[in-house]
Amino acid sequence: MRTLVNRQAFIVLAGIILLLLVSCVAEGERVTPSDSPVLPERGFLMGVLPATAEGQTFEDIYRRAAAYADFVPVWGRPTPFYDMAKELSGNWGQVFIQQYVRGNGMFPLIHLSFMGPDMTLASPPGISEPALNNPEWRQSYKQAALDTVRASRPLYLSLGNEVNRWYEKYGAADGDANGFQHYVSLYEEIYGEVKELSPKTQVFCTFAREVVSENREADMNILQMFNPDKLDILVLTSYPHAVQGINRPSDIPDDYYSRLKKYMPGKPVGFSEAAWPSLEAFGGEQGQARFLGDLCGRLTQEGDLELRLLGWPWLHDLDDNDYIGLIRRDRTPKLAYTVWKSISITGQWRTREQAIPSTAVKITPETDVHPPILHSTEYEQPVPMPYPMNTAGAEDSGFIMPDGDTFYLWFTPDPNIPVQEQLFDGVTGLYVSHKVDRVWQEPQRIWLQYPGELALDGCLFVQEDRMWFASARTGYSGMPWFTASFVNGEWTDWKEAGFNPEYEVGELHISADGRELYFHSARPGGKGKYDIWVSKKENGEWLPPQNVEAVNSPETDGWPFLTEDGNELWFTRTYLGSPAIFRAEKVNGEWQEPELIISQFAAEPSLDFEGNIYFTHHFFNNGLMLEADYYVAKRKG
C-alpha cells in the first residue's frame, strides 16, 4: 500500500513538473503581434462590439463598424479562458478574428477572464478545489494566456475583465485561498512571461470604475496593490449613470477619471467599454451624446489624461429594452452615433454653438441694416426660421424637402475664416434637421468622409434617398460632384457623380422625373458671369448642356430650383448690387421673363409642396459679411 501511494504521489508530482516545463516560454521564442495600427491624429484608438441589428449579417455589421472604429473587444463566443486559444486558432477565430475583425482593418482586444457565472472561479475540468492560490489552477490560467498570445498574436491583452469586482466580493484577507492578492501575484507572473514571449503586446487587466449592482463608485484604492510597471495601460469599464446622484453627464465631476492618476502617474488610460443610455431619465439622446463628447474631452484629455483607447460596449441596442447602443435595433442612428463619427474623424465633438466665436453677435430683423424686401403679393413678409435653425454663425445653402419636414443646411461658425481652416474646425459642413410635432430639432452633422480623410462638402441637393453634393477632399483635385445613398438612416456609399467635366457643373437641381439637370456655370457661351444651363438625359447619359436664354441676364444668374411639376424655375440673380430671388414660369413649354420676388441679400431659394419659400439671407455691414440665416416667406391662403 505504501509503495502504491508513493507511486501515485510521484505521478502527480511529475505531471506538475511537466506542466511547469511546458508553460515556460522556450528560450529564444518570440511572437510579434499581428496588429500594428497607426495612431490616428485624434491621438487614441476607438472600438465597439459590432452587435447585429434585426436581420443584419455579421459581414454587414463588421464592415459598418470598421468605418469609424479601430478595435473590437473579444471574449470568444464567449469562451472560458482554458478554451480561448483553441477557439482563436480554430474555425471561429479564422472567421471572426481574421475575416471580420482584421479583414476589415480593425484589431482584437482580447479579454481572458478568470471569473465564471455569479462571481465564481472559472476552472478547467479535473482541477479539484480550484482557487486563486491553487498552483494547478494558476498554471492553467498562465498557460491559457501564453497559448492565447501564440494563437492570435494580439497587440492588446486583458488578463481579466473588471477584476476589482472580485476584490469587492472576496477582499484580500490573509489565508483566504481566493483573496485578491493571489490574483495580483499571478497577474504579475503572467505579465513577465507574456512580455518575454511577445514584448510588443500591451498587457493589462481591466478595472470597473463603478459597482453597478450597488449604484456606487468602486473602491479604486485597489490600484495600489499593482506594480505600475506591470500595467502597460490603465483600462476601465465605466457606466457612471449607475452611480447614485449621477443622472446627467454634467453631474460627473471633472476629475472622475483623472483622480486615478495618483495611483498610476503618467500611465495612459483607456476604456474597453464606457457608456451612457439614451433613456429619457438620463437625458435621452442628448445626454448619451453629451457623455460621449465629454468622455474624450472634459473627463479625460482636458484633465491631462493620455487617452489611448475609447471603447463603446456595442453598436446597436441589443433588444427593445436596451438603450446603450449608438444605433437602434431598426438600424436608425441615434444622436450619439453622429457624435461617434465626429470623434472618429476629428478627435472631438463640438456643437455649432460651441464653435461660434465668443465675439459673434446674433443679428435680428431689428438690427439688420439690409433686411430682405418682398416684391410679391402672393407671399407673407419673410421671417427668420426659429432657433435652433439659426445661430450667430453662418447658416447657408439651405434645402427644404417637399413635405416641409426635413431641412438640409450648410454651416460654418465664422463666415470670414479661410477655407483651409474650415477643413479642420470639426463643425463646418452639411447638417440636417427634422420637424417633430411641428418643431424643428437641433440640426445634426452629415458625415460624408472616413477617419484620415479631409473633406469640405457643400452645394447639397437631395431627391428621395439620393444626395448630390460637391466636395473638396483628399485624393481629388478641384471640387467634383459626388452622390450618396440614404440607407438605414445614414448617408453612405458616396462616389463621384460622373458629370462630364467639360460641362463645368455648378450648383444644381434635377427635375422630379430625373430627365433634366439644371445648373449654373461660368462656361463659355453664357450672357453673364454665371448662367443657368440645362442638360437632358438620354440612355443614361447627360447630353451637352443648353443655355436657358430666357431666364439669363448680363448679371449673375444661378442656384436654380425647379418645382416638382417642372413649371417654375426659381433662382438667384444679382439685383442692384446684391443677391435677389427671381421666378420664371413655363408656359406652353417655354420659359417666360423672370419676375423679382425677394431682393436684398436673399439667395438660394427652395420650396415645399405648399409653395413656401425658404432662402438664405446674408447680413452685411460696410461690405463685411457678419453672418447668414434662413428665412421663410409663407405663401398666402
Side-chain angles (χ1 to χ4, degrees):
M1 176 69 71
R2 187 173 184 181
T3 303
L4 178 60
V5 170
N6 287 343
R7 184 181 178 191
Q8 289 175 333
F10 175 78
I11 291 172
V12 171
L13 180 61
I16 293 174
I17 292 172
L18 179 61
L19 190 61
L20 289 170
L21 289 172
V22 170
S23 71
C24 294
V25 177
E27 185 176 354
E29 181 186 9
R30 288 291 184 272
V31 167
T32 300
S34 296
D35 315 293
S36 54
V38 176
L39 194 65
E41 288 189 14
R42 73 176 96 97
F44 51 90
L45 299 160
M46 298 175 66
V48 67
L49 182 66
T52 57
E54 293 180 2
Q56 192 172 30
T57 65
F58 284 116
E59 288 86 351
D60 180 49
I61 186 57
Y62 274 79
R63 185 168 55 251
R64 186 173 189 181
Y68 302 101
D70 307 297
F71 69 87
V72 173
V74 173
W75 292 272
R77 292 178 184 264
T79 301
F81 72 82
Y82 46 86
D83 285 334
M84 181 67 88
K86 181 174 65 176
E87 291 280 17
L88 291 172
S89 58
N91 183 66
W92 184 89
Q94 181 62 37
V95 173
F96 278 88
I97 305 303
Q98 296 303 116
Q99 180 180 336
Y100 293 155
V101 178
R102 286 173 171 150
N104 280 297
M106 298 181 288
F107 64 87
L109 188 158
I110 305 293
H111 287 282
L112 196 70
S113 181
F114 62 89
M115 288 184 269
D118 301 320
M119 294 297 293
T120 58
L121 192 66
S123 179
I127 295 181
S128 61
E129 299 183 4
L132 285 174
N133 73 344
N134 181 317
E136 189 178 4
W137 184 91
R138 290 168 71 91
Q139 188 57 41
S140 70
Y141 189 64
K142 183 191 297 185
Q143 185 66 52
L146 296 171
D147 288 345
T148 294
V149 172
R150 294 184 179 102
S152 64
R153 300 173 179 253
L155 181 62
Y156 286 88
L157 175 66
S158 174
L159 296 172
N161 186 48
E162 297 186 334
V163 297
N164 50 326
R165 291 176 60 213
W166 189 272
Y167 172 81
E168 294 278 357
K169 180 174 180 177
Y170 293 94
D174 291 339
D176 187 342
N178 277 315
F180 192 69
Q181 71 276 19
H182 300 303
Y183 166 75
V184 176
S185 65
L186 176 58
Y187 166 83
E188 294 185 354
E189 286 179 28
I190 298 174
Y191 178 94
E193 292 203 25
V194 170
K195 283 296 188 179
E196 185 179 350
L197 174 64
S198 180
K200 292 184 179 180
T201 293
Q202 299 292 290
V203 184
F204 54 92
C205 56
T206 303
F207 301 90
R209 183 65 182 85
E210 301 84 22
V211 181
V212 173
S213 62
E214 299 180 16
N215 303 116
R216 64 174 173 85
E217 295 183 43
D219 179 4
M220 302 310 294
N221 286 316
I222 189 179
L223 293 173
Q224 297 179 97
M225 298 179 66
F226 289 82
N227 179 352
D229 293 336
K230 293 190 175 182
L231 275 172
D232 291 335
I233 178 174
L234 176 58
V235 177
L236 307 170
T237 66
S238 188
Y239 297 82
H241 67 280
V243 176
Q244 187 174 6
I246 296 181
N247 300 308
R248 296 290 187 274
S250 57
D251 297 331
I252 305 173
D254 289 346
D255 67 346
Y256 188 73
Y257 303 113
S258 62
R259 68 180 69 150
L260 305 183
K261 288 192 298 183
K262 66 181 180 182
Y263 303 111
M264 300 280 171
K267 189 70 62 180
V269 300
F271 298 92
S272 61
E273 55 185 83
W276 189 275
S278 57
L279 279 167
E280 288 303 318
F282 296 103
E285 289 193 30
Q286 292 286 345
Q288 186 182 47
R290 170 71 182 274
F291 172 72
L292 181 53
D294 285 352
L295 196 59
C296 66
R298 174 177 71 89
L299 297 174
T300 54
Q301 297 187 107
E302 292 175 17
D304 198 28
L305 284 177
E306 181 189 347
L307 182 62
R308 182 71 56 80
L309 301 172
L310 178 64
W312 196 265
W314 38 81
L315 194 57
H316 291 92
D317 289 336
L318 299 182
D319 54 46
D320 292 337
N321 296 312
D322 178 44
Y323 299 89
I324 292 296
L326 301 171
I327 304 173
R328 299 178 189 86
R329 288 284 292 165
D330 64 5
R331 305 194 200 182
T332 57
K334 302 179 189 177
L335 173 58
Y337 187 57
T338 299
V339 177
W340 180 260
K341 290 196 286 187
S342 174
I343 294 170
S344 179
I345 293 168
T346 70
Q348 63 178 338
W349 177 60
R350 290 196 299 167
T351 65
R352 292 183 302 149
E353 293 282 3
Q354 290 170 332
I356 296 171
S358 59
T359 55
V361 177
K362 183 74 195 76
I363 309 299
T364 65
E366 293 74 24
T367 57
D368 184 7
V369 296
H370 300 293
I373 300 171
L374 181 65
H375 297 264
S376 172
T377 59
E378 299 176 46
Y379 301 91
E380 298 176 4
Q381 286 294 326
V383 295
M385 292 183 71
Y387 180 87
M389 304 305 292
N390 291 321
T391 67
E395 283 81 21
D396 210 338
S397 300
F399 184 82
I400 189 76
M401 292 301 287
D403 62 9
D405 288 337
T406 302
F407 193 84
Y408 292 91
L409 59 128
W410 185 87
F411 169 83
T412 192
D414 182 349
N416 295 300
I417 64 173
V419 171
Q420 58 267 29
E421 291 184 25
Q422 293 176 353
L423 269 170
F424 298 98
D425 66 15
V427 291
T428 295
L430 300 173
Y431 291 74
V432 63
S433 176
H434 300 282
K435 191 183 288 185
V436 178
D437 296 330
R438 305 180 68 180
V439 176
W440 288 109
Q441 305 301 296
E442 176 68 36
Q444 303 304 323
R445 182 73 185 268
I446 299 173
W447 289 103
L448 298 165
Q449 66 197 92
Y450 295 122
E453 296 180 357
L454 290 175
L456 188 60
D457 306 322
C459 309
L460 175 146
F461 168 72
V462 178
Q463 194 172 72
E464 297 180 348
D465 60 358
R466 196 175 187 195
M467 173 194 296
W468 286 258
F469 65 99
S471 181
R473 58 179 47 212
T474 302
Y476 295 88
S477 59
M479 199 164 182
W481 282 95
F482 294 81
T483 61
S485 299
F486 194 66
V487 180
N488 297 324
E490 182 181 12
W491 288 105
T492 185
D493 191 29
W494 47 87
K495 54 190 175 186
E496 276 198 89
F499 295 136
N500 188 328
E502 294 181 359
Y503 295 176
E504 299 180 20
V505 176
E507 296 207 32
L508 59 78
H509 191 112
I510 297 174
S511 62
D513 61 11
R515 296 178 179 178
E516 292 184 319
L517 166 66
Y518 285 81
F519 64 92
H520 74 231
S521 177
R523 66 195 311 274
K527 294 182 177 180
K529 182 178 180 182
Y530 283 108
D531 270 18
I532 296 175
W533 301 75
V534 62
S535 173
K536 298 183 185 296
K537 180 177 278 190
E538 288 188 8
N539 300 320
E541 298 290 334
W542 293 111
L543 301 180
Q546 303 297 313
N547 190 280
V548 188
E549 296 185 12
V551 305
N552 290 318
S553 73
E555 299 289 346
T556 290
D557 298 282
W559 297 268
F561 177 92
L562 193 68
T563 55
E564 198 79 2
D565 60 11
N567 290 327
E568 293 183 6
L569 179 62
W570 293 75
F571 61 97
T572 304
R573 173 184 290 175
T574 303
Y575 173 77
L576 299 180
S578 74
I581 294 171
F582 283 74
R583 174 184 63 186
E585 295 182 304
K586 183 178 283 187
V587 177
N588 297 325
E590 300 293 334
W591 291 113
Q592 306 301 299
E593 179 70 22
E595 62 177 315
L596 175 64
I597 303 297
I598 306 172
S599 68
Q600 200 158 241
F601 299 106
E604 301 184 67
S606 65
L607 281 70
D608 60 21
F609 274 145
E610 295 179 354
N612 303 311
I613 311 170
Y614 295 79
F615 65 95
T616 302
H617 176 54
H618 299 89
F619 298 101
F620 276 83
N621 192 11
N622 296 323
L624 177 67
M625 183 176 168
L626 304 177
E627 61 152 311
D629 279 350
Y630 299 119
Y631 273 60
V632 59
K634 296 282 189 177
R635 190 176 184 90
K636 292 180 180 179

